[in-house]
Amino acid sequence: MLTIRRFCCNMLSENCYVVSDDTRECVIIDCGAFYPEEGQAVISYISQQALTPRHLLCTHGHFDHCMGNGYIYREYGLKPEVHADDEFLMVKMQQQTADILGVNLSIDVPPVGRYLNTDDTILFGSHSLQTLHTPGHTPGGVIFHCREERTAFSGDTLFRMSIGRTDFERGSYEQMVNSLHQVVAKLPADTVVYPGHGPQTVIGEELKYNPYF
């Protein structure tokens, strides 16, 4: 059974998740902690629960999902893992804040540890996450899917009754629609989805009520 703890981070209210199981191993997904108290909250939770982090995962390379990677790297030595098609974003993390927010923010950017490919498997504890490539919001956007637990972490591909923007650099509405229909819609209807912003949802409800389907 998975234990999922959400942390709402930074000025864009991004969702960071610490996902663990009974072995006490965990993965950290989309650590967007910008302010020191946010980074400390994530680290304190991991310490209090006696967890051992195994992976630092990024659903995509936008700055608001990666702002806290430096905290995790300094504390645990974990380098971020992100899909190879978002390399262009990872190498200009600070420039993104100027392009999108109009301000230059200082972000501690550790080196990428691994560039993921479609269908790569992430192992931790007694569980695994499959990397499902869902381009549209960014070229390298992915969903991390835990099949045995009917759980998915969708980043900015899917929100509750909405989807991520496609008007950022190298975003594509056509690719997003294809990802929704060819990947997301094929997940089991009872899959609980934990998005990059906002509340969780369920695939079956999205297929019925989300206008983008």
Side-chain angles (χ1 to χ4, degrees):
M1 180 178 179
L2 293 179
T3 298
I4 301 169
R5 174 66 184 269
R6 179 176 73 97
F7 297 85
C8 188
C9 297
N10 67 57
M11 62 290 294
L12 297 182
S13 299
E14 180 270 345
N15 292 332
C16 166
Y17 299 99
V18 177
V19 185
S20 60
D21 67 13
D22 293 340
T23 71
R24 296 293 176 180
E25 291 192 354
C26 71
V27 297
I28 303 159
I29 300 176
D30 285 356
C31 190
F34 177 66
Y35 303 104
E37 59 268 27
E38 294 173 343
Q40 189 56 51
V42 175
I43 292 168
S44 294
Y45 171 78
I46 292 171
S47 176
Q48 291 164 5
Q49 299 301 312
L51 303 179
T52 301
R54 293 302 186 195
H55 297 276
L56 172 57
L57 304 175
C58 306
T59 59
H60 62 292
H62 278 156
F63 72 92
D64 56 319
H65 292 253
C66 299
M67 288 175 128
N69 288 348
Y71 293 114
I72 304 306
Y73 178 62
R74 290 194 301 272
E75 186 72 20
Y76 308 109
L78 292 178
K79 299 176 182 178
E81 301 174 43
V82 63
H83 193 277
D85 288 349
D86 271 6
E87 180 179 8
F88 78 104
L89 290 170
M90 300 302 287
V91 299
K92 59 174 186 178
M93 192 63 62
Q94 293 185 177
Q95 181 61 39
Q96 288 187 52
T97 66
D99 293 343
I100 296 175
L101 295 180
V103 295
N104 289 298
L105 299 179
S106 178
I107 301 175
D108 186 3
V109 183
V112 173
R114 176 186 178 190
Y115 281 109
L116 301 169
N117 294 299
T118 305
D119 293 328
D120 277 355
T121 299
I122 310 297
L123 301 176
F124 71 102
S126 58
H127 287 82
S128 63
L129 299 173
Q130 184 183 14
T131 304
L132 305 179
H133 190 200
T134 55
H137 181 65
T138 68
V142 302
I143 287 175
F144 294 112
H145 178 219
C146 185
R147 186 178 303 276
E148 61 266 40
E149 297 286 352
R150 294 288 203 271
T151 300
F153 300 89
S154 64
D156 287 3
T157 295
L158 179 67
F159 303 139
R160 180 170 177 80
M161 301 304 143
S162 189
I163 60 172
R165 290 174 58 172
T166 59
D167 58 338
F168 293 127
E169 183 181 7
R170 293 179 59 185
S172 168
Y173 182 74
E174 290 75 17
Q175 287 186 335
M176 177 69 88
V177 170
N178 184 70
S179 294
L180 293 173
H181 288 87
Q182 298 302 317
V183 179
V184 179
K186 294 181 179 180
L187 294 174
D190 59 349
T191 300
V192 179
V193 177
Y194 294 85
H197 301 268
Q200 68 191 58
T201 187
V202 180
I203 289 294
E205 294 183 5
E206 295 302 314
L207 294 179
K208 287 182 180 179
Y209 304 116
N210 188 322
Y212 294 96
F213 287 98

